[in-house]
Amino acid sequence: MSSMQRASTQAIRKVAVEQGMHSLRDDGWRLVREGRTTVEEVMRVTKDEQGGAEGVSAVDVTPEHAGK
């Protein structure tokens, strides 16, 4: 009989990000930079999401700051 290991959500997320996963919030910031949604919408939809885009502020993702 084999034992099953259970990884924490945080551990799974860490490995996924290391392997190239982008969070819903990160993708939302991309859409804000493209002018396709608002900062408020990204925050509303991803309010339960932890992490992603650490250090990103509304100024960083506004269209006039895109690519900077």
Side-chain angles (χ1 to χ4, degrees):
M1 184 176 215
S2 68
S3 64
M4 292 182 62
Q5 289 185 326
R6 293 185 52 96
S8 70
T9 302
Q10 184 178 17
I12 293 169
R13 180 181 192 85
K14 182 178 184 279
V15 170
V17 168
E18 288 170 356
Q19 294 181 1
M21 181 196 86
H22 297 280
S23 71
L24 181 61
R25 184 171 285 173
D26 289 339
D27 196 49
W29 295 141
R30 178 185 61 80
L31 295 173
V32 169
R33 286 190 303 273
E34 293 175 2
R36 296 173 55 192
T37 193
T38 64
V39 170
E40 293 80 10
E41 182 71 359
V42 171
M43 296 306 294
R44 182 186 68 80
V45 171
T46 64
K47 67 180 178 254
D48 295 329
E49 185 174 313
Q50 297 289 322
E54 285 82 13
V56 173
S57 71
V59 171
D60 297 328
V61 295
T62 55
E64 59 270 13
H65 292 91
K68 293 186 179 178

